[in-house]
Amino acid sequence: VGSSTANATSAIVQFIFRDLSGLMGNVLFSWSFSHSFGIYVKQWRLFADIVNDIALTLELFSPLFASKFIFVCILCVASVFKAMCGVSAGATRIAIAKHFAVLDNETDIVSKEGIQETFVTILGMLMGLALTHYLSTETGDDDAQDSSHAFVVVVVIFMVL
């Protein structure tokens, strides 16, 4: 995938390697650090945001590498980073819900937080589509440099807010 000579088999193999890397990273990361998620909640939540941004950055720049091997390796590393984000964010979610729970309503808080996260994801996707459309009509093509600059600006805004 990423080249005109790619076929369905290579896409499936890439998909398997990427997902297998993420699953193995998920298990190893959980096994190694699960004891500290409840102790260092704020640090792990920040860690989740940072590794997610790293994963997205790796995925964004992975097509720039001509070597199929390097391309797949970068996607595998990004998948491991996303798994680390999912584990640490998910594990800290319970401690944060308990903090905000007033009347033993942790499940209500977690479900509402999930709805907010889904809404923000949908909003982000729509804004991403609008930004992509704007960038492609302003420059007349899919300029990787403009997209990269826009990505950096959006990530910095996200980390500051």
Side-chain angles (χ1 to χ4, degrees):
V1 177
S3 96
S4 60
T5 61
N7 59 27
T9 303
S10 65
I12 291 170
V13 169
Q14 171 199 322
F15 178 79
I16 290 170
F17 277 120
R18 189 186 69 219
D19 279 7
L20 190 59
S21 299
L23 293 170
M24 290 173 55
N26 190 333
V27 170
L28 291 172
F29 184 72
S30 296
W31 178 70
S32 299
F33 297 102
S34 62
H35 63 281
S36 66
F37 291 140
I39 300 168
Y40 303 105
V41 176
K42 290 185 273 186
Q43 291 86 343
W44 281 115
R45 196 61 178 209
L46 177 62
F47 173 82
D49 284 339
I50 291 170
V51 295
N52 189 51
D53 290 339
I54 292 170
L56 293 174
T57 303
L58 288 172
E59 287 179 341
L60 179 69
F61 291 111
S62 63
L64 299 177
F65 295 91
S67 168
K68 291 178 186 178
F69 177 76
I70 293 174
F71 175 75
V72 172
C73 286
I74 290 172
L75 290 180
C76 290
V77 170
S79 183
V80 170
F81 281 8
K82 282 185 172 183
M84 292 164 55
C85 169
V87 169
S88 56
T92 57
R93 181 175 288 138
I94 294 167
I96 293 169
K98 282 187 177 187
H99 173 76
F100 287 110
V102 178
L103 303 169
D104 290 331
N105 60 343
E106 291 94 350
T107 55
D108 184 42
I109 291 171
V110 169
S111 68
K112 288 178 179 173
E113 189 265 340
I115 291 168
Q116 286 178 337
E117 187 174 320
T118 300
F119 177 75
V120 168
T121 301
I122 291 169
L123 187 62
M125 287 182 169
L126 293 175
M127 291 175 68
L129 282 172
L131 182 61
T132 302
H133 176 71
Y134 171 77
L135 289 173
S136 64
T137 56
E138 282 296 310
T139 61
D141 62 355
D142 295 329
D143 188 14
Q145 187 176 8
D146 288 341
S147 298
S148 300
H149 288 137
F151 177 76
V152 169
V153 168
V154 170
V155 167
V156 167
I157 290 171
F158 170 74
M159 293 305 286
V160 169
L161 297 177

